Structures are given as C-alpha cells and as structure tokens.
Amino acid sequence: MTWQLRRATAADLDAIMTIESNVFGSDAWSVELMRGELASPHSYYLVAFSPDVPDRVDGYAGLLAPLGAGEGDIQTVAVAGAARRQGLGRTLILSLVNEARDRGASELFLEVRADNAGAQALYELLGFEQIAVRAGYYQPDNVDAHVMRLRLPAPHTKPAVSG
Ligand SMILES: CC(C)(COP(=O)(O)OP(=O)(O)OC[C@H]1O[C@@H](n2cnc3c(N)ncnc32)[C@H](O)[C@@H]1OP(=O)(O)O)[C@@H](O)C(=O)NCCC(=O)NCCS
C-alpha cells in the first residue's frame, strides 16, 4: 500500500479521534485536547491517506515545536491496525523530524510507555536514545514512561572544491 501525507486540519478531528480511542484506550486524548493540538501554531500534525481512498485516515502524528524554542516533542503517532508494519509510522516520524529541524530544533524528545516495545523499536531505529524514566507516568495503568531524545545536528554545508 502507498500513502500520501498532508497537514491535518480540524476537518480531520473525527477520523483522528476514531484511531486515537481505538489505539490508546485509557491513554487516549480527549477530543478537546486534540482539537487544541490541531489548532495550535506551535504544533504540526500530519495525516496519512491512501490516494485510492482519500477520505480515510490511516495514521497520524504530531509535533510540538515552537519557533525559537530550539527543541521539540513528538506528541503522538498512531497507525491503524491494518496499515502497520509497512513503513508508515517511520515515514510519519521522519516527516516530523524534518519539520522540527526546519523550525530550528536541535533536540527532539518523546515519551513512550515502558511496555510499548514496538514503538520503542521504531524510535531506536530512527536514532532516538533513552535518557530517563518517569515512574508511573501513565495512569491509571501505573506504567512508566521512557523519555527518549534525538539530537538534530545543524547541517554543515561547504563550498565545493574543484580540482
Ligand atoms: C508504533 C506504530 C506507530 C508503528 O507504526 P508502523 O507503521 O507499524 O511502523 P513501521 O512499519 O514504520 O515500522 C518501522 C520499523 O519499526 C519497528 N517496529 C514497528 N512496529 C514494531 C513492533 N510492533 N514490534 C517490533 N518492531 C516494530 C520495526 O523495526 C519496523 O521495521 P520492519 O517492519 O521492517 O521490521 C504503530 O504500531 C502504532 O500505531 N501503535 C499504536 C500506537 C502507539 O503505540 N504509538 C506510539 C506511542 S509513543
């Protein structure tokens, strides 16, 4: 399957919330929280859709990276069950990494449940490293959060040298 990404708008709220509540259960965000995220100038949310079914959202991901802050946070990522393990999660996160770099972030952070080995594997593949543990961060399940960080070095450009 192939997907295209586009910037999420308030019109995507229902589709995002359907995946959000299916995937995250007791950790799911409220519709009000998600609406605020989509509207914030400091946020950047993407949705993924198949060109054959442009009205169906198969995944989404969100970044919080205020201009000038120098750092950002991956706020969320979710891929619908039928669309998993086909590279979409990786593509979504890489797109957020690029946007964070464009916004001047030199570090990117995220929190992931200690029992979410799949998401941790994806983040490690992309270069994130665990830097801290927040005990009991996820309630009511009382599951720890692993805090992960990706350094985003500034690109170095050099004039081409001939000869
Ligand atoms: C985590 C999630 C977004 C990954 O999306 P995805 O589209 O399936 O991920 P990708 O296909 O891009 O995976 C890329 C690589 O990450 C790793 N990976 C992804 N999911 C994995 C899993 N469940 N177990 C082990 N490794 C996994 C693999 O190395 C994979 O490459 P491979 O398929 O060639 O082995 C998806 O499983 C999901 O929505 N999970 C529920 C929501 C969630 O946990 N979000 C993260 C909250 S912090």
Side-chain angles (χ1 to χ4, degrees), residues 23-24 76-80 83-91 110-113 116-123 125 138:
V23 163
F24 290 111
T76 187
V77 57
V79 171
R84 287 190 193 161
R85 298 309 286 268
Q86 297 172 69
L88 182 53
R90 185 203 321 228
T91 300
L110 61 82
E111 279 115 19
V112 56
R113 282 175 66 117
N116 192 347
Q120 288 169 31
L122 169 61
Y123 298 136
L125 187 76
Y138 293 97

PDB file of all heavy atoms in Angstrom, residues 23-24 76-80 83-91 110-113 116-123 125 138, ligand 1:
ATOM      1  N   VAL A  23      -6.776   2.913  19.492  1.00  0.00           N
ATOM      2  CA  VAL A  23      -5.381   2.507  19.675  1.00  0.00           C
ATOM      3  C   VAL A  23      -4.906   2.736  21.112  1.00  0.00           C
ATOM      4  O   VAL A  23      -4.184   1.912  21.668  1.00  0.00           O
ATOM      5  CB  VAL A  23      -4.494   3.288  18.671  1.00  0.00           C
ATOM      6  CG1 VAL A  23      -3.045   3.240  19.065  1.00  0.00           C
ATOM      7  CG2 VAL A  23      -4.671   2.745  17.263  1.00  0.00           C
ATOM      8  N   PHE A  24      -5.307   3.845  21.713  1.00  0.00           N
ATOM      9  CA  PHE A  24      -4.701   4.212  23.003  1.00  0.00           C
ATOM     10  C   PHE A  24      -5.571   3.871  24.218  1.00  0.00           C
ATOM     11  O   PHE A  24      -5.082   3.960  25.347  1.00  0.00           O
ATOM     12  CB  PHE A  24      -4.333   5.694  23.016  1.00  0.00           C
ATOM     13  CG  PHE A  24      -3.179   6.029  22.107  1.00  0.00           C
ATOM     14  CD1 PHE A  24      -3.370   6.778  20.962  1.00  0.00           C
ATOM     15  CD2 PHE A  24      -1.897   5.575  22.400  1.00  0.00           C
ATOM     16  CE1 PHE A  24      -2.308   7.083  20.115  1.00  0.00           C
ATOM     17  CE2 PHE A  24      -0.829   5.866  21.559  1.00  0.00           C
ATOM     18  CZ  PHE A  24      -1.035   6.624  20.413  1.00  0.00           C
ATOM     19  N   THR A  76       2.612  12.562  19.467  1.00  0.00           N
ATOM     20  CA  THR A  76       1.865  11.318  19.275  1.00  0.00           C
ATOM     21  C   THR A  76       2.142  10.755  17.896  1.00  0.00           C
ATOM     22  O   THR A  76       2.560  11.492  16.984  1.00  0.00           O
ATOM     23  CB  THR A  76       0.344  11.560  19.442  1.00  0.00           C
ATOM     24  OG1 THR A  76      -0.355  10.307  19.422  1.00  0.00           O
ATOM     25  CG2 THR A  76      -0.201  12.462  18.345  1.00  0.00           C
ATOM     26  N   VAL A  77       1.935   9.469  17.759  1.00  0.00           N
ATOM     27  CA  VAL A  77       1.915   8.823  16.437  1.00  0.00           C
ATOM     28  C   VAL A  77       1.038   7.588  16.571  1.00  0.00           C
ATOM     29  O   VAL A  77       1.100   6.880  17.578  1.00  0.00           O
ATOM     30  CB  VAL A  77       3.333   8.446  15.932  1.00  0.00           C
ATOM     31  CG1 VAL A  77       4.070   7.541  16.902  1.00  0.00           C
ATOM     32  CG2 VAL A  77       3.261   7.799  14.552  1.00  0.00           C
ATOM     33  N   ALA A  78       0.207   7.362  15.576  1.00  0.00           N
ATOM     34  CA  ALA A  78      -0.620   6.152  15.577  1.00  0.00           C
ATOM     35  C   ALA A  78      -0.929   5.764  14.140  1.00  0.00           C
ATOM     36  O   ALA A  78      -1.201   6.618  13.290  1.00  0.00           O
ATOM     37  CB  ALA A  78      -1.925   6.375  16.337  1.00  0.00           C
ATOM     38  N   VAL A  79      -0.879   4.469  13.909  1.00  0.00           N
ATOM     39  CA  VAL A  79      -1.190   3.898  12.598  1.00  0.00           C
ATOM     40  C   VAL A  79      -2.302   2.876  12.810  1.00  0.00           C
ATOM     41  O   VAL A  79      -2.227   2.054  13.738  1.00  0.00           O
ATOM     42  CB  VAL A  79       0.066   3.239  11.987  1.00  0.00           C
ATOM     43  CG1 VAL A  79      -0.269   2.447  10.737  1.00  0.00           C
ATOM     44  CG2 VAL A  79       1.121   4.302  11.681  1.00  0.00           C
ATOM     45  N   ALA A  80      -3.336   2.923  11.986  1.00  0.00           N
ATOM     46  CA  ALA A  80      -4.448   1.969  12.098  1.00  0.00           C
ATOM     47  C   ALA A  80      -3.920   0.546  11.924  1.00  0.00           C
ATOM     48  O   ALA A  80      -2.968   0.314  11.163  1.00  0.00           O
ATOM     49  CB  ALA A  80      -5.499   2.290  11.046  1.00  0.00           C
ATOM     50  N   ALA A  83      -2.830  -1.041   8.640  1.00  0.00           N
ATOM     51  CA  ALA A  83      -1.782  -0.338   7.869  1.00  0.00           C
ATOM     52  C   ALA A  83      -0.393  -0.488   8.506  1.00  0.00           C
ATOM     53  O   ALA A  83       0.573   0.094   8.014  1.00  0.00           O
ATOM     54  CB  ALA A  83      -2.143   1.146   7.755  1.00  0.00           C
ATOM     55  N   ARG A  84      -0.292  -1.278   9.552  1.00  0.00           N
ATOM     56  CA  ARG A  84       1.002  -1.350  10.279  1.00  0.00           C
ATOM     57  C   ARG A  84       2.043  -2.214   9.572  1.00  0.00           C
ATOM     58  O   ARG A  84       1.723  -3.031   8.734  1.00  0.00           O
ATOM     59  CB  ARG A  84       0.756  -1.897  11.692  1.00  0.00           C
ATOM     60  CG  ARG A  84       0.080  -0.848  12.545  1.00  0.00           C
ATOM     61  CD  ARG A  84       0.020  -1.243  14.003  1.00  0.00           C
ATOM     62  NE  ARG A  84      -0.903  -0.335  14.679  1.00  0.00           N
ATOM     63  CZ  ARG A  84      -1.473  -0.552  15.831  1.00  0.00           C
ATOM     64  NH1 ARG A  84      -1.218  -1.668  16.492  1.00  0.00           N
ATOM     65  NH2 ARG A  84      -2.293   0.332  16.358  1.00  0.00           N
ATOM     66  N   ARG A  85       3.286  -2.000   9.973  1.00  0.00           N
ATOM     67  CA  ARG A  85       4.470  -2.728   9.503  1.00  0.00           C
ATOM     68  C   ARG A  85       4.644  -2.603   7.986  1.00  0.00           C
ATOM     69  O   ARG A  85       5.108  -3.518   7.321  1.00  0.00           O
ATOM     70  CB  ARG A  85       4.421  -4.212   9.914  1.00  0.00           C
ATOM     71  CG  ARG A  85       4.413  -4.435  11.422  1.00  0.00           C
ATOM     72  CD  ARG A  85       5.507  -3.720  12.188  1.00  0.00           C
ATOM     73  NE  ARG A  85       6.825  -4.306  12.045  1.00  0.00           N
ATOM     74  CZ  ARG A  85       7.319  -5.223  12.865  1.00  0.00           C
ATOM     75  NH1 ARG A  85       6.603  -5.678  13.870  1.00  0.00           N
ATOM     76  NH2 ARG A  85       8.549  -5.654  12.697  1.00  0.00           N
ATOM     77  N   GLN A  86       4.284  -1.445   7.479  1.00  0.00           N
ATOM     78  CA  GLN A  86       4.517  -1.161   6.054  1.00  0.00           C
ATOM     79  C   GLN A  86       5.267   0.153   5.893  1.00  0.00           C
ATOM     80  O   GLN A  86       5.256   0.748   4.813  1.00  0.00           O
ATOM     81  CB  GLN A  86       3.174  -1.099   5.310  1.00  0.00           C
ATOM     82  CG  GLN A  86       2.412  -2.427   5.332  1.00  0.00           C
ATOM     83  CD  GLN A  86       1.005  -2.298   4.772  1.00  0.00           C
ATOM     84  OE1 GLN A  86       0.818  -2.080   3.581  1.00  0.00           O
ATOM     85  NE2 GLN A  86       0.011  -2.400   5.631  1.00  0.00           N
ATOM     86  N   GLY A  87       5.886   0.614   6.983  1.00  0.00           N
ATOM     87  CA  GLY A  87       6.744   1.789   6.887  1.00  0.00           C
ATOM     88  C   GLY A  87       6.060   3.123   7.143  1.00  0.00           C
ATOM     89  O   GLY A  87       6.712   4.162   7.097  1.00  0.00           O
ATOM     90  N   LEU A  88       4.751   3.097   7.425  1.00  0.00           N
ATOM     91  CA  LEU A  88       4.041   4.370   7.573  1.00  0.00           C
ATOM     92  C   LEU A  88       4.443   5.109   8.856  1.00  0.00           C
ATOM     93  O   LEU A  88       4.655   6.329   8.840  1.00  0.00           O
ATOM     94  CB  LEU A  88       2.528   4.133   7.538  1.00  0.00           C
ATOM     95  CG  LEU A  88       1.651   5.376   7.637  1.00  0.00           C
ATOM     96  CD1 LEU A  88       2.030   6.422   6.597  1.00  0.00           C
ATOM     97  CD2 LEU A  88       0.176   4.999   7.487  1.00  0.00           C
ATOM     98  N   GLY A  89       4.563   4.381   9.968  1.00  0.00           N
ATOM     99  CA  GLY A  89       4.971   5.032  11.215  1.00  0.00           C
ATOM    100  C   GLY A  89       6.325   5.699  11.067  1.00  0.00           C
ATOM    101  O   GLY A  89       6.538   6.840  11.483  1.00  0.00           O
ATOM    102  N   ARG A  90       7.245   5.000  10.418  1.00  0.00           N
ATOM    103  CA  ARG A  90       8.578   5.545  10.205  1.00  0.00           C
ATOM    104  C   ARG A  90       8.513   6.813   9.331  1.00  0.00           C
ATOM    105  O   ARG A  90       9.156   7.817   9.625  1.00  0.00           O
ATOM    106  CB  ARG A  90       9.461   4.486   9.530  1.00  0.00           C
ATOM    107  CG  ARG A  90      10.880   4.942   9.396  1.00  0.00           C
ATOM    108  CD  ARG A  90      11.682   4.251   8.312  1.00  0.00           C
ATOM    109  NE  ARG A  90      11.489   2.839   8.119  1.00  0.00           N
ATOM    110  CZ  ARG A  90      12.470   1.954   8.008  1.00  0.00           C
ATOM    111  NH1 ARG A  90      13.706   2.324   8.170  1.00  0.00           N
ATOM    112  NH2 ARG A  90      12.224   0.709   7.738  1.00  0.00           N
ATOM    113  N   THR A  91       7.715   6.756   8.274  1.00  0.00           N
ATOM    114  CA  THR A  91       7.594   7.917   7.387  1.00  0.00           C
ATOM    115  C   THR A  91       6.994   9.114   8.120  1.00  0.00           C
ATOM    116  O   THR A  91       7.442  10.256   7.959  1.00  0.00           O
ATOM    117  CB  THR A  91       6.716   7.539   6.179  1.00  0.00           C
ATOM    118  OG1 THR A  91       7.349   6.457   5.501  1.00  0.00           O
ATOM    119  CG2 THR A  91       6.558   8.694   5.220  1.00  0.00           C
ATOM    120  N   LEU A 110      10.549  12.623  23.281  1.00  0.00           N
ATOM    121  CA  LEU A 110       9.248  11.957  23.310  1.00  0.00           C
ATOM    122  C   LEU A 110       9.175  11.078  24.547  1.00  0.00           C
ATOM    123  O   LEU A 110      10.190  10.760  25.163  1.00  0.00           O
ATOM    124  CB  LEU A 110       9.027  11.125  22.047  1.00  0.00           C
ATOM    125  CG  LEU A 110       9.987   9.977  21.734  1.00  0.00           C
ATOM    126  CD1 LEU A 110       9.666   8.695  22.495  1.00  0.00           C
ATOM    127  CD2 LEU A 110       9.981   9.684  20.248  1.00  0.00           C
ATOM    128  N   GLU A 111       7.945  10.722  24.909  1.00  0.00           N
ATOM    129  CA  GLU A 111       7.709   9.745  25.972  1.00  0.00           C
ATOM    130  C   GLU A 111       7.001   8.548  25.374  1.00  0.00           C
ATOM    131  O   GLU A 111       6.104   8.720  24.545  1.00  0.00           O
ATOM    132  CB  GLU A 111       6.813  10.325  27.072  1.00  0.00           C
ATOM    133  CG  GLU A 111       7.532  11.198  28.062  1.00  0.00           C
ATOM    134  CD  GLU A 111       7.032  12.637  27.956  1.00  0.00           C
ATOM    135  OE1 GLU A 111       5.939  12.841  27.403  1.00  0.00           O
ATOM    136  OE2 GLU A 111       7.765  13.534  28.396  1.00  0.00           O
ATOM    137  N   VAL A 112       7.404   7.374  25.807  1.00  0.00           N
ATOM    138  CA  VAL A 112       6.775   6.145  25.307  1.00  0.00           C
ATOM    139  C   VAL A 112       6.592   5.199  26.492  1.00  0.00           C
ATOM    140  O   VAL A 112       7.430   5.156  27.399  1.00  0.00           O
ATOM    141  CB  VAL A 112       7.633   5.506  24.180  1.00  0.00           C
ATOM    142  CG1 VAL A 112       9.062   5.230  24.613  1.00  0.00           C
ATOM    143  CG2 VAL A 112       6.985   4.252  23.616  1.00  0.00           C
ATOM    144  N   ARG A 113       5.481   4.473  26.483  1.00  0.00           N
ATOM    145  CA  ARG A 113       5.229   3.534  27.577  1.00  0.00           C
ATOM    146  C   ARG A 113       6.334   2.486  27.639  1.00  0.00           C
ATOM    147  O   ARG A 113       6.791   1.983  26.622  1.00  0.00           O
ATOM    148  CB  ARG A 113       3.882   2.828  27.370  1.00  0.00           C
ATOM    149  CG  ARG A 113       2.672   3.668  27.748  1.00  0.00           C
ATOM    150  CD  ARG A 113       1.385   2.942  27.389  1.00  0.00           C
ATOM    151  NE  ARG A 113       1.184   1.741  28.165  1.00  0.00           N
ATOM    152  CZ  ARG A 113       0.157   1.547  29.019  1.00  0.00           C
ATOM    153  NH1 ARG A 113      -0.757   2.499  29.184  1.00  0.00           N
ATOM    154  NH2 ARG A 113       0.041   0.419  29.675  1.00  0.00           N
ATOM    155  N   ASN A 116       5.669  -0.606  25.687  1.00  0.00           N
ATOM    156  CA  ASN A 116       5.406  -0.487  24.247  1.00  0.00           C
ATOM    157  C   ASN A 116       6.688  -0.742  23.448  1.00  0.00           C
ATOM    158  O   ASN A 116       7.322   0.160  22.909  1.00  0.00           O
ATOM    159  CB  ASN A 116       4.847   0.912  23.943  1.00  0.00           C
ATOM    160  CG  ASN A 116       4.283   1.027  22.533  1.00  0.00           C
ATOM    161  OD1 ASN A 116       4.510   0.165  21.690  1.00  0.00           O
ATOM    162  ND2 ASN A 116       3.549   2.099  22.285  1.00  0.00           N
ATOM    163  N   ALA A 117       7.049  -2.035  23.393  1.00  0.00           N
ATOM    164  CA  ALA A 117       8.321  -2.396  22.755  1.00  0.00           C
ATOM    165  C   ALA A 117       8.326  -2.062  21.272  1.00  0.00           C
ATOM    166  O   ALA A 117       9.373  -1.705  20.710  1.00  0.00           O
ATOM    167  CB  ALA A 117       8.595  -3.887  22.966  1.00  0.00           C
ATOM    168  N   GLY A 118       7.166  -2.162  20.605  1.00  0.00           N
ATOM    169  CA  GLY A 118       7.118  -1.890  19.170  1.00  0.00           C
ATOM    170  C   GLY A 118       7.469  -0.444  18.864  1.00  0.00           C
ATOM    171  O   GLY A 118       8.304  -0.163  17.985  1.00  0.00           O
ATOM    172  N   ALA A 119       6.836   0.486  19.584  1.00  0.00           N
ATOM    173  CA  ALA A 119       7.129   1.906  19.350  1.00  0.00           C
ATOM    174  C   ALA A 119       8.580   2.217  19.722  1.00  0.00           C
ATOM    175  O   ALA A 119       9.269   2.969  19.022  1.00  0.00           O
ATOM    176  CB  ALA A 119       6.167   2.774  20.152  1.00  0.00           C
ATOM    177  N   GLN A 120       9.067   1.620  20.815  1.00  0.00           N
ATOM    178  CA  GLN A 120      10.473   1.858  21.196  1.00  0.00           C
ATOM    179  C   GLN A 120      11.413   1.394  20.086  1.00  0.00           C
ATOM    180  O   GLN A 120      12.407   2.061  19.774  1.00  0.00           O
ATOM    181  CB  GLN A 120      10.793   1.128  22.498  1.00  0.00           C
ATOM    182  CG  GLN A 120      10.147   1.746  23.723  1.00  0.00           C
ATOM    183  CD  GLN A 120      10.274   0.845  24.937  1.00  0.00           C
ATOM    184  OE1 GLN A 120      11.237   0.095  25.066  1.00  0.00           O
ATOM    185  NE2 GLN A 120       9.297   0.904  25.817  1.00  0.00           N
ATOM    186  N   ALA A 121      11.089   0.246  19.481  1.00  0.00           N
ATOM    187  CA  ALA A 121      11.944  -0.268  18.398  1.00  0.00           C
ATOM    188  C   ALA A 121      11.967   0.708  17.231  1.00  0.00           C
ATOM    189  O   ALA A 121      13.014   0.972  16.629  1.00  0.00           O
ATOM    190  CB  ALA A 121      11.435  -1.647  17.949  1.00  0.00           C
ATOM    191  N   LEU A 122      10.794   1.259  16.911  1.00  0.00           N
ATOM    192  CA  LEU A 122      10.718   2.232  15.812  1.00  0.00           C
ATOM    193  C   LEU A 122      11.567   3.469  16.132  1.00  0.00           C
ATOM    194  O   LEU A 122      12.359   3.927  15.294  1.00  0.00           O
ATOM    195  CB  LEU A 122       9.259   2.633  15.586  1.00  0.00           C
ATOM    196  CG  LEU A 122       8.996   3.830  14.671  1.00  0.00           C
ATOM    197  CD1 LEU A 122       9.523   3.576  13.273  1.00  0.00           C
ATOM    198  CD2 LEU A 122       7.495   4.131  14.617  1.00  0.00           C
ATOM    199  N   TYR A 123      11.439   3.992  17.350  1.00  0.00           N
ATOM    200  CA  TYR A 123      12.187   5.201  17.703  1.00  0.00           C
ATOM    201  C   TYR A 123      13.701   4.933  17.710  1.00  0.00           C
ATOM    202  O   TYR A 123      14.483   5.777  17.277  1.00  0.00           O
ATOM    203  CB  TYR A 123      11.743   5.726  19.069  1.00  0.00           C
ATOM    204  CG  TYR A 123      10.284   6.139  19.117  1.00  0.00           C
ATOM    205  CD1 TYR A 123       9.473   5.796  20.192  1.00  0.00           C
ATOM    206  CD2 TYR A 123       9.709   6.871  18.085  1.00  0.00           C
ATOM    207  CE1 TYR A 123       8.145   6.170  20.249  1.00  0.00           C
ATOM    208  CE2 TYR A 123       8.373   7.242  18.128  1.00  0.00           C
ATOM    209  CZ  TYR A 123       7.600   6.893  19.212  1.00  0.00           C
ATOM    210  OH  TYR A 123       6.278   7.259  19.253  1.00  0.00           O
ATOM    211  N   LEU A 125      15.264   2.750  15.945  1.00  0.00           N
ATOM    212  CA  LEU A 125      15.671   2.635  14.543  1.00  0.00           C
ATOM    213  C   LEU A 125      15.962   4.018  13.949  1.00  0.00           C
ATOM    214  O   LEU A 125      16.848   4.177  13.117  1.00  0.00           O
ATOM    215  CB  LEU A 125      14.519   1.976  13.776  1.00  0.00           C
ATOM    216  CG  LEU A 125      14.719   1.579  12.333  1.00  0.00           C
ATOM    217  CD1 LEU A 125      15.564   0.321  12.256  1.00  0.00           C
ATOM    218  CD2 LEU A 125      13.369   1.346  11.657  1.00  0.00           C
ATOM    219  N   TYR A 138       2.110   6.959  33.186  1.00  0.00           N
ATOM    220  CA  TYR A 138       0.828   6.638  32.538  1.00  0.00           C
ATOM    221  C   TYR A 138      -0.149   6.095  33.574  1.00  0.00           C
ATOM    222  O   TYR A 138       0.061   5.018  34.141  1.00  0.00           O
ATOM    223  CB  TYR A 138       1.042   5.623  31.406  1.00  0.00           C
ATOM    224  CG  TYR A 138       1.843   6.189  30.258  1.00  0.00           C
ATOM    225  CD1 TYR A 138       3.207   5.970  30.162  1.00  0.00           C
ATOM    226  CD2 TYR A 138       1.242   6.981  29.292  1.00  0.00           C
ATOM    227  CE1 TYR A 138       3.953   6.501  29.122  1.00  0.00           C
ATOM    228  CE2 TYR A 138       1.974   7.524  28.246  1.00  0.00           C
ATOM    229  CZ  TYR A 138       3.323   7.278  28.169  1.00  0.00           C
ATOM    230  OH  TYR A 138       4.051   7.819  27.140  1.00  0.00           O
TER     231      TYR A 138
HETATM  232  C1  LIG B   1       4.150   2.277  16.786  1.00  0.00           C
HETATM  233  C2  LIG B   1       3.445   2.409  15.438  1.00  0.00           C
HETATM  234  C3  LIG B   1       3.101   3.867  15.179  1.00  0.00           C
HETATM  235  C4  LIG B   1       4.380   1.884  14.347  1.00  0.00           C
HETATM  236  O1  LIG B   1       3.749   2.121  13.091  1.00  0.00           O
HETATM  237  P1  LIG B   1       4.086   1.190  11.817  1.00  0.00           P
HETATM  238  O2  LIG B   1       3.575   1.889  10.623  1.00  0.00           O
HETATM  239  O3  LIG B   1       3.593  -0.188  12.059  1.00  0.00           O
HETATM  240  O4  LIG B   1       5.679   1.191  11.857  1.00  0.00           O
HETATM  241  P2  LIG B   1       6.662   0.913  10.624  1.00  0.00           P
HETATM  242  O5  LIG B   1       6.054  -0.068   9.674  1.00  0.00           O
HETATM  243  O6  LIG B   1       7.097   2.217  10.060  1.00  0.00           O
HETATM  244  O7  LIG B   1       7.891   0.229  11.392  1.00  0.00           O
HETATM  245  C5  LIG B   1       9.225   0.558  11.096  1.00  0.00           C
HETATM  246  C6  LIG B   1      10.118  -0.319  11.948  1.00  0.00           C
HETATM  247  O8  LIG B   1       9.894  -0.045  13.340  1.00  0.00           O
HETATM  248  C7  LIG B   1       9.984  -1.289  14.081  1.00  0.00           C
HETATM  249  N1  LIG B   1       8.660  -1.669  14.580  1.00  0.00           N
HETATM  250  C8  LIG B   1       7.486  -1.056  14.330  1.00  0.00           C
HETATM  251  N2  LIG B   1       6.475  -1.678  14.999  1.00  0.00           N
HETATM  252  C9  LIG B   1       7.048  -2.703  15.662  1.00  0.00           C
HETATM  253  C10 LIG B   1       6.529  -3.717  16.513  1.00  0.00           C
HETATM  254  N3  LIG B   1       5.225  -3.790  16.832  1.00  0.00           N
HETATM  255  N4  LIG B   1       7.395  -4.604  17.051  1.00  0.00           N
HETATM  256  C11 LIG B   1       8.714  -4.545  16.764  1.00  0.00           C
HETATM  257  N5  LIG B   1       9.272  -3.627  15.941  1.00  0.00           N
HETATM  258  C12 LIG B   1       8.442  -2.707  15.404  1.00  0.00           C
HETATM  259  C13 LIG B   1      10.465  -2.320  13.083  1.00  0.00           C
HETATM  260  O9  LIG B   1      11.895  -2.261  13.051  1.00  0.00           O
HETATM  261  C14 LIG B   1       9.885  -1.796  11.786  1.00  0.00           C
HETATM  262  O10 LIG B   1      10.566  -2.257  10.643  1.00  0.00           O
HETATM  263  P3  LIG B   1      10.148  -3.689   9.988  1.00  0.00           P
HETATM  264  O11 LIG B   1       8.653  -3.718   9.859  1.00  0.00           O
HETATM  265  O12 LIG B   1      10.863  -3.683   8.665  1.00  0.00           O
HETATM  266  O13 LIG B   1      10.638  -4.729  10.956  1.00  0.00           O
HETATM  267  C15 LIG B   1       2.145   1.530  15.403  1.00  0.00           C
HETATM  268  O14 LIG B   1       2.456   0.214  15.814  1.00  0.00           O
HETATM  269  C16 LIG B   1       1.038   2.070  16.289  1.00  0.00           C
HETATM  270  O15 LIG B   1       0.228   2.887  15.870  1.00  0.00           O
HETATM  271  N6  LIG B   1       0.993   1.581  17.540  1.00  0.00           N
HETATM  272  C17 LIG B   1      -0.042   2.004  18.484  1.00  0.00           C
HETATM  273  C18 LIG B   1       0.152   3.449  18.885  1.00  0.00           C
HETATM  274  C19 LIG B   1       1.486   3.665  19.552  1.00  0.00           C
HETATM  275  O16 LIG B   1       1.993   2.844  20.299  1.00  0.00           O
HETATM  276  N7  LIG B   1       2.075   4.847  19.296  1.00  0.00           N
HETATM  277  C20 LIG B   1       3.310   5.266  19.894  1.00  0.00           C
HETATM  278  C21 LIG B   1       3.018   5.979  21.159  1.00  0.00           C
HETATM  279  S1  LIG B   1       4.520   6.575  21.917  1.00  0.00           S
END
